[in-house]
Amino acid sequence: MEEAVVLMAKAPVPGRVKTRLCPPLAPAEAARLYACMLGDAAEEISSVGRIARYLFLDRPAAANVLRGAPFSPFERFPQRGKDLGERMCGAAATAFRRGARRVVIVGADCPSLSAGTVRRAFRELSTGASVVFGPSADGGYYLVGLSSPDERLFRGFRWSTAEVLRNAAARCRILSAPFSFLPPGRDVDTGDDLLALWEWTRTHARPACPRTREWITGFFGPGGGGFPGSPERTPGPPRGSRSRRGG
């Protein structure tokens, strides 16, 4: 296949995923939300035709985790690298070595990611762009597409900061690599992002993301109206930590 999608993922284990959502969520709630977003992302990617699909799992992950639908169309690999940049770079290199000419890398953090967005990324790459970014509201990106492997696009960044996308675009200019942007999206990393997700589900019918919609509706209730339950369920950083932007 000339086009490949890499889905970067973790096993949805409480305490290991979406920890910046705790509070307002309990670790088990955060893990369940992540599992819903991951399943929806895999299902959306599976609907894109004539592409290779690779699932890169952060280690350690049990051998049987994420084996059934909607993950069955994906070939699995372990993530390797000291930081997010090295892991994405390694995943992209694997896809290119296996015959891809255009590679799109996504995570499971942005429920608005659609099959149409993935197709548009491939179109951008096939019509002149060397790199394509899906800007995220936190200053990073929810998608990056490449027309060739280049580790310089992933090295030397401070990940999980509000400057990631700006610095990545600047790196492209230094490398004389033509780049383009897709419509913006929003990762779900904080309590404020949960509220934004609830509003988004009420105003957007697509993509379907049925697991995420069911979870968020169950959490906020049919009428919404803010964080349910105890007073501890308010947007904010985990206790004893600093608030920071990025994923």
Side-chain angles (χ1 to χ4, degrees):
M1 295 289 184
E2 291 191 345
E3 296 177 332
V5 173
V6 168
L7 175 57
M8 307 291 288
K10 297 180 179 181
V13 177
R16 284 185 50 82
V17 295
K18 293 299 167 190
T19 55
R20 292 169 58 204
L21 282 170
C22 306
L25 303 185
E29 290 176 313
R32 178 57 187 158
L33 172 58
Y34 178 78
C36 291
M37 294 193 296
L38 178 57
D40 287 339
E43 192 164 81
E44 198 70 18
I45 294 165
S46 296
S47 71
V48 181
R50 298 187 298 276
I51 63 168
R53 302 172 186 86
Y54 301 119
L55 177 65
F56 276 79
L57 276 170
D58 191 22
R59 297 183 296 175
N64 62 344
V65 71
L66 306 179
R67 284 288 183 182
F71 304 99
S72 50
F74 289 77
E75 190 171 355
R76 296 156 57 95
F77 295 91
Q79 294 183 25
R80 302 184 188 279
K82 294 180 293 185
D83 62 18
L84 177 60
E86 288 191 6
R87 294 192 292 271
M88 289 194 294
C89 183
T94 297
F96 281 114
R97 282 198 304 269
R98 296 176 74 84
R101 298 179 61 186
R102 293 173 289 276
V103 175
V104 165
I105 304 172
V106 299
D109 305 301
C110 182
S112 63
L113 175 70
S114 68
T117 301
V118 173
R119 294 188 191 99
R120 179 170 172 178
F122 283 128
R123 286 197 301 271
E124 293 286 330
L125 293 171
S126 64
T127 56
S130 295
V131 187
V132 58
F133 297 106
S136 182
D138 61 6
Y141 50 77
Y142 65 86
L143 177 154
V144 59
L146 308 167
S147 62
S148 62
D150 192 336
E151 66 178 21
R152 295 172 296 178
L153 295 169
F154 299 101
R155 305 290 187 184
F157 291 100
R158 291 181 61 243
W159 301 99
S160 300
T161 68
E163 291 78 36
V164 168
L165 179 59
R166 182 174 60 194
N167 292 339
R171 183 72 57 86
C172 288
R173 294 187 184 98
I174 292 171
L175 298 174
S176 298
F179 63 94
S180 62
F181 295 108
L182 300 172
R186 183 165 186 154
D187 289 348
V188 180
D189 289 316
T190 67
D192 287 338
D193 295 332
L194 278 180
L195 291 171
L197 174 61
W198 169 239
E199 180 61 27
W200 177 84
T201 60
R202 294 192 291 175
T203 56
H204 294 76
R206 291 285 184 270
C209 50
R211 301 165 185 82
T212 303
R213 289 177 187 271
E214 181 179 8
W215 187 94
I216 201 74
T217 300
F219 182 73
F220 282 107
F227 283 85
S230 70
E232 293 183 354
R233 275 186 166 170
T234 55
R239 294 184 183 88
S241 71
R242 295 179 179 177
S243 176
R244 65 177 186 175
R245 301 172 71 186

